[in-house]
């Protein structure tokens, strides 16, 4: 044999033997990583090739010495597809399934391999830990860190991914998911929440079959108008309130999102969630870290009720701005005046507000613009100076007049947007997201400002900052966002030589930078997040906002259903519910529905009849007596309005001494005369005695219910009939421990 051929042969043999030895060593040294809370565990483990797999998701395995053996309990043949249960599935090498990450390296190579490198667990406090797992490409200087932040008591995980590299030039991230989860079970049911304007948060439950079910948004801003990043996965059977295993999740991201639910050939579920890669290939420069948004999820083996209480408790304590604090009961002028007002009309609305118990007056759209006055929604947006004709003495005058009447003053802004009929547009077309070679397309007669541009970020921050500098006693901000992004193009990115595909991501990152600056200077001022309704209700924004506006549809019957659906994911303290003139229901019904959250009014209080005013005053007084239970207590959905003629929801304080129960007639097609069966309560102490009493009665109307005393055991087994009927369409019960 030729000597060179012999040397080559020996090298090949040595290489093969080395691979075999390495494989054997790795097989003998599998790394097992538990991610565990009080009641559930994710178990990750390296395989013989040092790739990280998800081998278990369920109740905690108590014996730590047995964790390593879990991976040997299943045997899936995956030669045709790669690895279904990869903890973070790369594209371009061994995998043929839907990837979690896809990249193009600086040299143009589209392949990626990720192998386990290291991990660490940091105990942040007694309840909170952070596990970080580093995966590296064996060929390129490219790495991914999987991050799992666990709140043990709440059984909640926040999961995200950090991507970085040390290649010579930018790497193009073509897909970059936040999480890649894997579940083994017989059947899976998905509840997603979709809709349209005035019809937000509509639930659709489907059994997942083999293939991929995708929920996504490509709207850019107001991204949740048509579909939301909230979801429920139920295992084995459809979702139930108090039984069964369910996972509640949300991608905390304010822009385009994508959720992929894939039933693989083994009938298991792969869940890949993150920023929508649509038109969003992202150029990541060397030595910078790309942090994905978080997937937030909780698992319960006792149905959606327990899961949502876990999520609500976590949100109040750890995420929502001032989530364990107070909120202001406000009066808004929008439906009372729309754009047609002046300072006399507005100051006239202050009168009597304090008398019925309102804390704050909110001046809505229409107060600004001079060259292009904001008398309709087609002009003025972007020109944030007081309209001299409407407000000749400025906002400061209204702040003082409100104070004289005993109420605080708040203001509406929509700082991310611009009307083409505005001075801002005339001066700074380069600040506007618009393709210069295409006709402009408007949503509500407006365009979106380019927040990838630091100058625009400064401008938007300045809008808020100037309001507070000029009016230090300003007490509330309503931050609106009504347009979506058409003709996505950034003059700033073009000028900087950056890809246009960075825009959708950099817009949201720029918005977060603005909000961080606002909160650094004004940490405590309450701010409502509004986006034509629920277009932005998610937990990354709620780091900066105290509350959000669920929908412009304030018709109270529709609100019962909408608020029911939002309650799976959000505590009541975050949802703004206003009493308006929408709907045919009586004022009492409207006030009762709005009291299941942060109460507000959008009516002319001076136009109320004497009895209506008397009722509002008493109802608001009652609300102030139980709002702490609604805001900070545990919520129980008792009677589902989708399945019954009535709806019933209950809130119980933490020491189980007080509760409030809301009951509504939601269907009278068959002339319902009375509640047919009792409502079974939940969340009380079985051993305590409780007084049950009806409150929020309209003047001169007597309750058909007598104040009674029952044990918690009785109320949670036999129940209590609220006597809801055609004459009593809304019944509110106060439940108080008998001392």
């Amino acid at each position: 044999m030729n000597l060179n051929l012999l040397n080559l042969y020996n090298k090949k043999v040595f290489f093969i033997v080395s691979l075999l030895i390495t494989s054997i060593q790795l097989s003998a040294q599998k790394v097992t990583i538990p991610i565990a809370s009080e009641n559930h565990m994710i178990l990750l483990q390296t395989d013989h090739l040092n790739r990280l797999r998800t081998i278990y998701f369920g109740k905690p395995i108590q014996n730590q010495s047995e964790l390593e053996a879990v991976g040997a309990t299943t045997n899936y043949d995956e030669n045709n597809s790669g690895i279904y249960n990869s903890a973070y599935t790369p594209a371009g090498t061994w995998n043929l399934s839907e990837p979690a990450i896809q990249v193009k390296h600086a040299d143009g190579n589209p392949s990626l391999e990720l192998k386990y490198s290291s991990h660490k667990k940091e105990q942040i406090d007694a309840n909170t830990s952070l596990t970080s797992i580093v995966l590296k490409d064996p060929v390129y200087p490219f790495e991914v860190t999987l991050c799992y932040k666990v709140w043990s008591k709440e059984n909640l995980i926040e999961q995200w991914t950090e991507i970085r590299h040390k290649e010579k030039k930018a790497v193009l991230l073509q897909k970059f998911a936040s999480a890649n989860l894997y579940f083994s079970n017989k059947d899976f049911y998905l509840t997603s929440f979709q809709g349209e304007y005035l019809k937000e948060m509509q639930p659709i439950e489907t059994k997942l079959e083999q293939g991929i079910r995708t929920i996504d948004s490509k709207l850019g801003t107001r991204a949740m108008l048509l579909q939301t990043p909230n979801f429920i996965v139920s295992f084995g059977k459809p979702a139930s309130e108090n039984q069964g295993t369910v996972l509640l999740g949300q991608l905390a991201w304010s822009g385009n999102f994508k959720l992929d639910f894939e039933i693989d050939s083994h009938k298991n579920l792969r869940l890949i969630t993150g920023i929508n890669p649509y038109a969003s290939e992202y150029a990541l420069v060397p030595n910078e870290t790309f942090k994905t948004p978080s997937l937030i999820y909780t698992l319960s083996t006792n149905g959606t009720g327990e899961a949502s209480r876990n999520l609500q408790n976590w949100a109040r304590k750890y995420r929502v701005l001032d989530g364990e604090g107070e909120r202001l009961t406000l009066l808004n002028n929008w439906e009372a005046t729309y754009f047609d007002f002046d300072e006399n009309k507005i100051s006239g609305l202050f009168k009597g507000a304090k008398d019925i118990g309102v804390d704050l007056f909110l001046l809505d759209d229409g107060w600004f613009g001079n060259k292009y006055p904001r008398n309709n929604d087609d002009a003025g947006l972007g020109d944030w100076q007081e309209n001299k004709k409407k407000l000749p003495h400025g906002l400061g005058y209204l702040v003082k007049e409100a104070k004289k009447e005993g109420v605080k003053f708040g203001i509406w802004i929509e700082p991310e947007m611009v009307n083409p009929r505005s001075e801002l547009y005339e001066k700074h077309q380069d600040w506007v997201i618009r393709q210069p070679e295409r006709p402009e397309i408007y949503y509500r007669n407006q365009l979106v400002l380019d927040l990838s541009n630091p100058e625009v970020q400064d401008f938007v921050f300045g809008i808020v900052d100037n309001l507070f500098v000029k009016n230090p006693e300003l007490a509330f901000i309503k931050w609106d966002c009504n347009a979506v992004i058409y003709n996505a193009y950034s003059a700033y990115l073009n000028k900087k030589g950056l890809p246009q595909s960075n825009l959708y991501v950099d817009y949201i990152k720029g918005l977060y930078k603005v909000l961080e600056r606002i909160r650094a200077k004004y940490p405590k001022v309450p701010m409502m997040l509004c986006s034509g309704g629920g277009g932005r209700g998610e937990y990354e924004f709620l780091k900066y906002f105290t509350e959000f506006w669920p929908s412009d549809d304030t018709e109270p019957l529709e609100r019962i259903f909408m608020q029911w659906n939002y309650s799976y994911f959000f505590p009541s303290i975050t949802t703004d519910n206003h009493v308006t003139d929408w709907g045919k229901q009586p004022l009492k019904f409207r006030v009762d529905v709005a009291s299941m959250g942060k109460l507000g009014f959008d009516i002319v209080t001076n136009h109320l009849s004497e009895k209506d005013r008397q009722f509002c005053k008493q109802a608001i007084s009652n609300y102030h007596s139980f709002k702490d239970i609604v805001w900070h207590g545990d919520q129980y959905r008792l009677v589902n309005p989708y399945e019954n003629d009535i709806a019933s929801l209950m809130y119980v304080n933490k020491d189980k001494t007080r509760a409030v129960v809301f009951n509504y007639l939601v269907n009278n097609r068959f002339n319902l005369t009375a509640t047919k069966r009792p409502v079974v309560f939940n969340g009380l102490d079985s051993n305590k005695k409780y007084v049950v009493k009806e409150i929020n009665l309209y003047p001169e109307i007597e309750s058909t219910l007598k104040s009674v005393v029952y044990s918690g055991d009785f109320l949670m087994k036999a129940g209590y009939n609220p006597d809801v009927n055609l004459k009593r369409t809304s019944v509110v019960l106060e439940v108080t421990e008998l001392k």
Side-chain angles (χ1 to χ4, degrees):
M1 182 182 287
N2 181 288
L3 185 60
N4 288 334
L5 289 175
L6 181 62
N7 288 336
L8 181 60
Y9 175 81
N10 289 336
K11 286 180 180 178
K12 285 184 176 180
V13 171
F14 177 78
F15 179 72
I16 292 170
V17 172
S18 297
L19 281 178
L20 288 171
I21 292 172
T22 302
S23 178
I24 293 169
Q25 288 174 338
L26 288 172
S27 180
Q29 299 174 359
K30 286 183 178 179
V31 177
T32 305
I33 308 170
I35 314 291
S37 65
E38 280 187 4
N39 293 327
H40 76 259
M41 171 185 284
I42 302 172
L43 205 57
L44 307 173
Q45 189 178 78
T46 56
D47 63 13
H48 67 285
L49 293 175
N50 211 29
R51 295 169 180 152
L52 191 64
R53 294 175 177 245
T54 301
I55 61 170
Y56 179 80
F57 199 113
K59 293 182 179 181
I61 296 171
Q62 300 301 323
N63 192 340
Q64 296 294 303
S65 65
E66 295 180 321
L67 295 182
E68 186 176 338
V70 173
T73 61
T74 55
N75 183 20
Y76 297 128
D77 177 10
E78 296 169 333
N79 291 331
N80 65 332
S81 59
I83 303 172
Y84 282 142
N85 66 339
S86 172
Y88 199 70
T89 313
T93 50
W94 50 265
N95 172 56
L96 301 176
S97 300
E98 183 67 26
I101 183 169
Q102 183 175 3
V103 307
K104 184 181 287 186
H105 294 284
D107 63 3
N109 190 320
S111 67
L112 181 65
E113 170 70 295
L114 292 174
K115 296 200 173 186
Y116 170 82
S117 176
S118 64
H119 77 279
K120 65 179 180 179
K121 180 179 179 180
E122 176 189 359
Q123 196 66 40
I124 298 172
D125 56 40
N127 189 46
T128 315
S129 65
L130 175 62
T131 300
S132 304
I133 306 170
V134 179
L135 309 177
K136 292 185 177 181
D137 190 305
V139 175
Y140 287 87
F142 186 98
E143 69 179 50
V144 169
T145 302
L146 307 181
C147 302
Y148 302 80
K149 192 171 185 180
V150 179
W151 286 267
S152 183
K153 185 178 178 181
E154 290 78 17
N155 291 295
L156 188 136
I157 297 176
E158 180 179 11
Q159 183 175 343
W160 69 91
T161 303
E162 296 176 359
I163 304 169
R164 64 182 68 84
H165 70 89
K166 295 183 180 179
E167 300 186 27
K168 293 181 179 180
K169 295 181 180 178
V171 169
L172 195 64
L173 304 182
Q174 297 170 311
K175 188 176 183 182
F176 30 92
S178 300
N180 184 175
L181 303 179
Y182 193 73
F183 309 95
S184 299
N185 201 79
K186 182 181 178 182
D187 295 304
F188 301 91
Y189 294 82
L190 170 67
T191 304
S192 57
F193 296 85
Q194 304 171 40
E196 58 189 87
Y197 179 55
L198 299 179
K199 199 177 178 182
E200 294 87 354
M201 209 64 181
Q202 303 297 312
I204 299 175
E205 184 174 56
T206 56
K207 183 180 179 182
L208 294 172
E209 304 290 351
Q210 191 167 338
I212 299 179
R213 167 84 162 92
T214 296
I215 298 169
D216 72 343
S217 173
K218 301 180 182 71
L219 302 180
T221 58
R222 196 177 175 179
M224 300 166 206
L225 175 63
L226 305 178
Q227 303 194 74
T228 83
N230 305 294
F231 62 90
I232 301 171
V233 173
S234 182
F235 299 78
K237 61 181 182 179
S240 174
E241 185 68 14
N242 298 309
Q243 295 180 341
T245 301
V246 295
L247 182 143
L248 265 62
Q250 178 196 96
L251 185 74
W253 177 246
S254 310
N256 295 343
F257 58 84
K258 187 179 184 186
L259 316 176
D260 283 329
F261 301 84
E262 179 183 6
I263 300 298
D264 64 24
S265 59
H266 305 304
K267 306 300 187 289
N268 293 328
L269 173 61
R270 302 177 75 234
L271 172 56
I272 299 176
T273 68
I275 293 172
N276 196 336
Y278 164 76
S280 294
E281 292 185 332
Y282 198 87
L284 180 63
V285 299
N287 300 309
E288 287 195 5
T289 298
F290 185 96
K291 181 181 178 183
T292 71
S294 296
L295 176 68
I296 295 167
Y297 55 97
T298 182
L299 187 77
S300 167
T301 55
N302 296 304
T304 52
E306 180 181 81
S308 64
R309 287 187 291 277
N310 286 342
L311 188 48
Q312 292 169 5
N313 285 332
W314 169 83
R316 282 188 294 258
K317 188 171 183 179
Y318 296 105
R319 180 52 59 96
V320 176
L321 184 65
D322 197 24
E324 296 184 305
E326 294 291 313
R327 296 292 186 270
L328 298 169
T329 303
L330 64 82
L331 174 65
N332 194 6
N333 73 294
W334 178 243
E335 295 196 18
T337 67
Y338 295 100
F339 294 99
D340 182 20
F341 62 83
D342 57 24
E343 67 181 25
N344 290 328
K345 185 181 286 188
I346 293 299
S347 58
L349 295 175
F350 300 160
K351 300 187 183 303
K354 185 64 178 178
D355 180 57
I356 65 169
V358 167
D359 304 310
L360 174 131
F361 181 87
L362 172 66
L363 177 60
D364 215 290
D365 196 357
W367 57 269
F368 50 90
N370 286 296
K371 181 178 180 181
Y372 301 99
R374 182 72 167 175
N375 295 323
N376 210 320
D377 66 7
D378 62 357
L381 205 57
D383 301 341
W384 298 100
Q385 68 280 143
E386 296 101 323
N387 179 276
K388 294 178 181 178
K389 184 176 180 180
K390 292 182 180 180
L391 306 179
H393 299 97
L395 289 174
Y397 170 80
L398 292 177
V399 173
K400 292 177 182 177
E401 288 299 301
K403 189 175 182 179
K404 288 179 184 177
E405 296 294 335
V407 292
K408 298 179 180 181
F409 187 85
I411 196 75
W412 177 97
I413 55 174
E414 193 174 3
E416 302 163 66
M417 306 293 160
V418 62
N419 286 129
R421 290 183 61 218
S422 68
E423 294 182 79
L424 178 66
Y425 181 87
E426 292 176 344
K427 295 175 183 176
H428 288 291
Q429 280 194 21
D430 58 321
W431 284 9
V432 181
I433 294 176
R434 57 188 293 276
Q435 291 181 352
E437 304 303 322
R438 301 285 183 187
E440 291 179 348
I441 303 173
Y442 307 128
Y443 193 110
R444 206 187 181 220
N445 300 308
Q446 63 197 56
L447 296 165
V448 181
L449 294 176
D450 181 8
L451 277 166
S452 71
N453 185 340
E455 284 188 285
V456 178
Q457 294 171 26
D458 290 341
F459 171 77
V460 174
F461 170 77
I463 294 168
V464 178
D465 190 39
N466 290 336
L467 283 170
F468 283 117
V469 168
K470 294 178 180 178
N471 307 284
E473 292 186 277
L474 197 64
F476 190 87
I477 294 286
K478 178 181 177 182
W479 183 301
D480 215 339
C481 167
N482 285 300
V484 298
I485 293 177
Y486 293 112
N487 284 341
Y489 180 86
S490 166
Y492 169 77
L493 292 176
N494 182 59
K495 181 179 178 181
K496 291 293 182 180
L498 295 170
Q500 288 296 317
S501 57
N502 280 22
L503 177 58
Y504 283 125
V505 174
D506 283 350
Y507 179 92
I508 301 299
K509 287 186 173 182
L511 177 55
Y512 291 159
K513 287 179 182 178
V514 172
L515 293 170
E516 286 167 5
R517 290 172 65 186
I518 291 170
R519 282 312 179 191
K521 189 169 183 181
Y522 306 102
K524 297 294 185 181
V525 177
M527 293 206 305
M528 176 203 296
L529 178 61
C530 184
S531 188
R536 279 181 158 179
E538 49 80 25
Y539 280 119
E540 191 63 28
F541 255 144
L542 287 172
K543 289 179 179 179
Y544 311 107
F545 290 84
T546 51
E547 59 222 62
F548 73 97
W549 181 238
S551 176
D552 279 354
D553 184 354
T554 57
E555 201 281 333
L557 191 60
E558 291 300 323
R559 271 300 186 113
I560 290 170
F561 290 85
M562 215 173 282
Q563 289 167 206
W564 179 279
N565 296 324
Y566 276 114
S567 76
Y568 288 113
F569 304 97
F570 299 99
S572 296
I573 194 171
T574 64
T575 56
D576 284 298
N577 307 329
H578 288 185
V579 178
T580 72
D581 290 327
W582 283 43
K584 299 178 180 179
Q585 290 76 16
L587 180 65
K588 169 182 163 49
F589 192 102
R590 288 178 272 149
V591 172
D592 290 349
V593 172
S595 296
M596 297 190 300
K598 190 229 166 184
L599 177 64
F601 289 82
D602 204 336
I603 55 178
V604 182
T605 58
N606 288 338
H607 292 175
L608 293 173
S609 69
E610 183 54 39
K611 284 186 179 180
D612 278 354
R613 171 176 286 275
Q614 185 181 342
F615 169 76
C616 281
K617 188 172 182 177
Q618 184 58 52
I620 294 173
S621 176
N622 289 338
Y623 175 74
H624 287 311
S625 74
F626 64 65
K627 65 185 181 184
D628 185 66
I629 306 172
V630 172
W631 293 348
H632 305 123
D634 290 323
Q635 183 197 56
Y636 297 86
R637 290 176 291 270
L638 304 180
V639 181
N640 189 331
Y642 288 95
E643 301 169 356
N644 299 275
D645 293 328
I646 70 166
S648 184
L649 297 97
M650 181 173 184
Y651 299 84
V652 185
N653 67 358
K654 294 298 183 181
D655 60 7
K656 301 181 185 296
T657 59
R658 293 187 65 211
V660 58
V661 187
F662 297 90
N663 308 274
Y664 307 100
L665 179 65
V666 296
N667 175 28
N668 62 2
R669 289 176 57 213
F670 304 106
N671 293 319
L672 183 74
T673 56
T675 312
K676 295 178 180 179
R677 59 180 63 91
V679 173
V680 177
F681 290 3
N682 206 340
L684 301 175
D685 187 326
S686 297
N687 298 314
K688 289 182 177 179
K689 296 282 189 179
Y690 294 94
V691 179
V692 182
K693 175 186 176 183
E694 183 175 1
I695 60 173
N696 275 25
L697 291 163
Y698 195 78
E700 299 180 9
I701 300 295
E702 293 187 6
S703 175
T704 62
L705 306 172
K706 294 181 179 179
S707 180
V708 292
V709 177
Y710 290 116
S711 68
D713 178 71
F714 179 92
L715 292 169
M716 292 190 294
K717 290 177 180 175
Y720 182 87
N721 195 317
D723 191 27
V724 174
N725 57 56
L726 290 171
K727 292 183 178 180
R728 291 167 48 81
T729 55
S730 174
V731 177
V732 181
L733 303 174
E734 180 183 63
V735 183
T736 308
E737 181 187 4
L738 180 65
K739 298 291 188 178

